[in-house]
Amino acid sequence: MNMKTSQNLLARLLALALLGAAVPAARAADDTLGSPEGPVVLPPDLAALPIEHAILVAPPHVPPPITRTTPAHVIVNLEVREVVKKLADGVQYTFWTFGGDVPGRFIRVREGDLVEFHLNNHPSSKLPHNIDLHAVTGPGGGAASAFTAPGHSSQFTFTALQPGLFVYHCATAPVPMHVGNGMYGLILVQPKDGMPTVDEECYVMQGEFYTTGRYGEEGLQSFDMGKALDERPPYVVFNGSVGSLVGDRALRAKVGETVRIYFGVGGPNLVSSFHIIGEILDRVYPEGALGSVEEHVQTTLVPAGGATMVEFEVKVPGTYVLVDHSLTRAFNKGALGMLKVSGPPNRAIYSGKEIDAVYLGSQADEGSAAAERETELKGKIEAEMQSNTAITGLTKEVQIEKGKQVYMGLCFACHQPDGRGLPNVFPPLAGSDFLQADHERAIRIVLKGLSGPVVVNGKAINSLMPPQEAVLTDNQIADVLTYVLNSFGNSGDPVTPDKVKAVRNEMR
Ligand SMILES: [Cu+2]
């Protein structure tokens, strides 16, 4: 018997001793993974516990609080399913789940409960799975006893010794892949003395997805181990998909209510700087530990494989945005959710907008003048259409005005409002030979960005322009290039949306 096996055996003997059970010596010696040891013979006090079936609940909801004041023998039935679901608009992913959703079903038990755990792996699954519950005291947090082939069911029993909010996850090799495909959830072990009552409880978990395609690339995506090794996920999301807590699916509360969010991080790798824009967290239980409470918290750090509970009273109506305050994750990778609070305003706490005066700097003034001019020209076209069909010239003028708004909202920041750029940093668009030599190339640059050395008007530059394909529509790109090609002393033909579309398609 090697060291590890003897340690395992020791731990198992301890676990059995804890249950007060007689040790089935012959079976305990056969300590291979997954070989059943048979049901434990419970001592009279445990055998006499009332039996209860746990209610498991899908996110963002949680089971109701446990009101009993004595332990029970709680039976948990959790089903593993491999399902194809939406990761983002137009993007599907084969999620491996505990219960059909990411995160897995929320489990709620009470400190001191005897938990009889059944892990059922659906017959349609392709792979075996198991479960490691951080609430379990014992080898692998249950994983050593829960390895379950498709169409099989495993059983093990543990005592919920310590209260707190715990992550559970699959621990089958390769573990990062099983977790990275969505195999995590939360189990709350309510303390013996109960928890403060609140009006709303909800369940949110963050996790990142390492898809082969980049963010937003349509179709069925698969797990990319290379990206996982580099810890460079295209997606970082709440509750398993981009937009899972947005719009109709937002969390809800009413003014005056107290809200508790059970927030966990499945990972597999990233931690979360959990923050709610516009709320100060009245109470935070760091790391899901009920023993300590922090008050008046802005942002709380949640480790991978960790959890926290946050509580706050909502006092002002409006939409509050849940984010990982590592902000590109929130605004570019999906880690963004919403809490919509309804009810009467409280102007003493928050006034709402008091004054709306324009202050956007001179560039934006140009932009708004362009908007007026565009409306004026559109009016002119309509008037002209009544009598004259030769409106091509005017169409180009409209494009120029619309393009100017795009330019003043985006390109100006680098290429400058006058199109002259900044020496050695941003190349000029005004009089740019590079731009005017090849309009198709210009479309490509706006779509895909540009990096590496280029020479513009005899001056070398080696910098980086970010791609705009995800930001701008074909029309906007046509308009902005028409504007640039017909401003700053440049002169050129209009760029049509069809041309942009053709270039975009050919680069797919
Ligand atoms: Cu698994």
Side-chain angles (χ1 to χ4, degrees):
M1 190 182 297
N2 65 28
M3 196 97 131
K4 209 168 154 211
T5 325
S6 67
Q7 272 171 1
N8 270 349
L9 178 59
L10 191 67
R12 196 161 293 189
L13 288 171
L14 277 172
L16 288 167
L18 207 98
L19 288 171
V23 180
R27 283 198 182 124
D30 175 20
D31 194 41
T32 48
L33 195 71
S35 69
E37 286 152 289
V40 166
V41 182
L42 294 174
D45 53 330
L46 290 181
L49 288 176
I51 291 184
E52 228 176 60
H53 286 264
I55 308 165
L56 306 189
V57 175
H61 305 291
V62 300
I66 295 168
T67 50
R68 62 185 156 73
T69 52
T70 50
H73 176 154
V74 181
I75 298 172
V76 174
N77 262 292
L78 188 60
E79 185 181 58
V80 172
R81 281 177 159 258
E82 300 169 0
V83 289
V84 175
K85 292 184 100 168
K86 183 176 130 177
L87 174 58
D89 282 335
V91 184
Q92 283 82 38
Y93 193 83
T94 307
F95 294 96
W96 299 350
T97 72
F98 289 107
D101 299 282
V102 178
R105 295 282 189 269
F106 195 100
I107 307 169
R108 193 165 192 155
V109 298
R110 183 179 172 276
E111 181 183 359
D113 281 353
L114 183 72
V115 184
E116 180 185 313
F117 206 99
H118 299 257
L119 188 71
N120 311 314
N121 192 356
H122 196 270
S124 67
S125 295
K126 298 206 167 59
L127 291 158
H129 300 281
N130 65 13
I131 192 167
D132 169 352
L133 299 119
H134 293 180
V136 168
T137 306
S145 317
F147 187 77
T148 311
H152 284 252
S153 176
S154 296
Q155 177 185 338
F156 63 96
T157 302
F158 68 94
T159 299
L161 294 179
Q162 309 213 26
L165 182 64
F166 299 94
V167 167
Y168 66 77
H169 62 88
C170 183
T172 304
V175 182
M177 182 179 181
H178 283 249
V179 174
N181 282 342
M183 298 201 78
Y184 45 81
L186 290 179
I187 175 170
L188 173 67
V189 180
Q190 270 190 212
K192 279 201 171 101
D193 305 331
M195 287 166 69
T197 48
V198 290
D199 300 303
E200 299 286 342
E201 291 189 312
C202 35
Y203 171 25
V204 179
M205 275 187 96
Q206 178 173 324
E208 71 274 11
F209 288 88
Y210 299 92
T211 52
T212 31
R214 62 194 164 74
Y215 182 88
E217 194 163 309
E218 297 194 346
L220 181 63
Q221 297 296 319
S222 46
F223 180 81
D224 186 321
M225 194 59 186
K227 283 185 191 164
L229 285 170
D230 293 345
E231 301 186 16
R232 293 186 58 170
Y235 294 88
V236 183
V237 299
F238 293 150
N239 287 6
S241 68
V242 177
S244 65
L245 297 171
V246 165
D248 296 348
R249 305 168 75 194
L251 305 173
R252 279 172 201 279
K254 296 189 196 71
V255 166
E257 286 186 331
T258 45
V259 179
R260 175 185 294 138
I261 300 178
Y262 297 98
F263 183 84
V265 175
N269 297 315
L270 302 187
V271 305
S272 178
S273 302
F274 184 57
H275 176 82
I276 304 180
I277 302 174
E279 265 304 332
I280 297 159
L281 305 170
D282 296 340
R283 281 173 302 283
V284 170
Y285 301 81
E287 313 200 347
L290 286 153
S292 67
V293 183
E294 305 228 344
E295 294 185 311
H296 322 305
V297 175
Q298 54 184 318
T299 301
T300 186
L301 195 61
V302 186
T308 189
M309 280 163 292
V310 304
E311 295 169 359
F312 50 94
E313 184 189 339
V314 286
K315 300 193 177 76
V316 178
T319 299
Y320 296 83
V321 181
L322 284 61
V323 294
D324 178 340
H325 215 297
S326 290
L327 288 174
T328 46
R329 299 179 190 171
F331 293 102
N332 304 84
K333 297 186 167 191
L336 186 148
M338 288 177 182
L339 167 67
K340 292 195 176 173
V341 177
S342 57
N346 185 336
R347 302 236 184 263
I349 295 179
Y350 186 73
S351 70
K353 185 154 195 159
E354 294 175 299
I355 295 173
D356 185 351
V358 175
Y359 181 75
L360 292 164
S362 54
Q363 304 94 330
D365 286 350
E366 293 276 310
S368 58
E372 272 164 37
R373 179 108 173 94
E374 184 202 327
T375 322
E376 187 193 315
L377 286 165
K378 273 190 176 155
K380 247 181 162 179
I381 292 184
E382 265 168 40
E384 198 78 2
M385 294 249 288
Q386 315 283 333
S387 51
N388 184 356
T389 45
I391 53 165
T392 357
L394 275 175
T395 312
K396 179 172 157 185
E397 275 189 76
V398 170
Q399 265 199 299
I400 291 172
E401 295 306 323
K402 283 175 146 180
K404 184 172 188 175
Q405 291 177 63
V406 176
Y407 188 87
M408 292 306 175
L410 182 67
C411 324
F412 84 95
C414 300
H415 294 288
Q416 303 302 298
D418 60 7
R420 289 199 204 167
L422 290 175
N424 304 321
V425 188
F426 302 116
L429 300 179
S432 161
D433 55 356
F434 188 83
L435 164 68
Q436 293 178 86
D438 188 343
H439 295 185
E440 240 184 74
R441 178 174 64 192
I443 295 173
R444 242 174 274 132
I445 289 171
V446 176
L447 280 167
K448 289 284 175 193
L450 185 66
S451 62
V454 282
V455 178
V456 182
N457 296 345
K459 290 212 171 91
I461 186 152
N462 186 356
S463 182
L464 184 136
M465 167 164 155
Q468 306 298 334
E469 61 183 331
V471 182
L472 298 178
T473 63
D474 293 344
N475 280 311
Q476 287 172 318
I477 292 173
D479 293 346
V480 77
L481 285 174
T482 303
Y483 169 70
V484 166
L485 286 167
N486 291 277
S487 310
F488 319 132
N490 299 342
S491 63
D493 294 332
V495 175
T496 64
D498 281 349
K499 187 82 218 171
V500 178
K501 192 175 176 188
V503 175
R504 205 192 273 260
N505 285 339
E506 125 204 339
M507 292 191 326
R508 279 250 150 88

